[in-house]
Amino acid sequence: MHQIAILSPKGGTGRTTITANLGRLLAERSRVLLVDCDPQNALGLLFGMTVGEPAGLSTPELQHQALAATLRSIKADVPFIPFGHPPLASLAAVETQARLDATWLEKRLKELAPQGFDHAVLDTTAARGVWQSQALGLATVIIVVLEACALSYATLPEVDALVAEAAKRPGFKGVIYVLNRVDGRRALSRDVRSAMSQAAGADYLDIALVDDEHVREASALRTTCVQHAPHSQFSAAMRMLAARVLELTR
Ligand SMILES: Nc1ncnc2c1ncn2[C@@H]1O[C@H](COP(=O)(O)OP(=O)(O)O)[C@@H](O)[C@H]1O
Ligand SMILES: [Mg+2]
């Protein structure tokens, strides 16, 4: 099983959007599991989950059979594990466990999805913390999501440090850099994009996703853009991203 962590130290760059769309595309070719490792619980909303779903990754009572029953009842076509909404005291307890045990997520995924998968795509938090570390600690591929803006540019040193740490592990396959919400008509967008590519070589321009109205429409309809608007520019670039992931994890 390959674990793909979606990383961006800046919030709102499109991690959840990319996780959901990538998951849906990979599911056409392999057995995929999507995992929400972010207490914001946004991922499931693009797959028909009810708002405020209490059970999830972070609620130890949830076990494999109950998860399978929930996914069946909402007719989720791609299996996913919501983060869950535990009471604050229980969340703190689970976070302490995860902080003390670097393999917490790995064990929890085995428990919840004992049948295994080809690819697990892990949505992560922007902030450093235990959930980001658990996801990065398990990742065999990291997708870094950047925006063509100065704030995102300023996170590059942190990104480099996190990626360098993960890349030391045996079995690590590589990093893909995605620039999201590119607007070729805006001079600032173009400038930041070229500064980013100069900062760390052409790596930073692996895939560019345009700012596309279809993405917002899809999320209002609580689905993914690749399903809602398969012929959009965003969906075409997402297919390139999925192909890169399949190439790296062949
Ligand atoms: N390429 C894009 N074009 C248009 N809207 C986008 C694009 N990528 C993300 N968005 C929108 O931006 C907002 C933030 O995206 P989200 O995936 O939730 O970010 P994150 O998970 O990093 O916080 C959402 O409303 C999403 O629909
Ligand atoms: Mg998110």
Side-chain angles (χ1 to χ4, degrees), residues 11-17 180-181 210-212 215-216 219 234:
T13 50
R15 282 161 295 137
T16 301
T17 304
N180 191 22
R181 311 182 82 150
V210 291
D211 188 279
D212 191 329
V215 176
R216 283 181 284 272
S219 76
F234 179 87

Side-chain angles (χ1 to χ4, degrees), residues 26-192:
L26 290 177
E28 294 168 5
R29 303 280 295 277
S30 76
R31 292 175 313 150
V32 178
L33 175 68
L34 297 179
V35 187
D36 195 348
C37 302
D38 185 343
Q40 279 189 338
N41 273 292
L43 181 66
L45 300 178
L46 299 174
F47 290 94
M49 190 182 73
T50 43
V51 178
E53 170 61 41
L57 189 72
S58 60
T59 60
E61 308 77 61
L62 182 73
Q63 289 300 324
H64 168 63
Q65 290 196 335
L67 174 68
T70 306
L71 294 179
R72 267 197 308 275
S73 77
I74 62 170
K75 299 192 172 67
D77 45 2
V78 184
F80 73 91
I81 303 177
F83 183 83
H85 280 283
L88 272 185
S90 323
L91 177 61
V94 168
E95 289 186 345
T96 302
Q97 273 177 21
R99 217 168 273 122
L100 295 172
D101 178 3
T103 63
W104 185 93
L105 182 60
E106 188 181 355
K107 290 181 196 146
R108 185 73 176 125
L109 293 185
K110 282 204 180 109
E111 212 168 69
L112 285 168
Q115 71 277 36
F117 285 87
D118 302 319
H119 294 97
V121 188
L122 316 173
D123 195 4
T124 66
T125 58
R128 294 191 86 149
V130 65
W131 300 113
Q132 191 194 64
S133 314
Q134 285 285 333
L136 292 180
L138 198 56
T140 49
V141 172
I142 295 179
I143 296 180
V144 175
V145 185
L146 300 165
E147 273 182 308
C149 75
L151 285 179
S152 197
Y153 184 69
T155 66
L156 287 178
E158 186 179 343
V159 166
D160 286 343
L162 292 169
V163 165
E165 189 58 38
K168 284 185 202 152
R169 280 198 317 276
F172 188 78
K173 300 283 183 198
V175 189
I176 303 173
Y177 291 90
V178 175
L179 202 55
N180 191 22
R181 311 182 82 150
V182 175
D183 180 350
R185 292 164 307 182
R186 277 174 50 223
L188 179 65
S189 183
R190 281 199 304 273
D191 290 351
V192 178

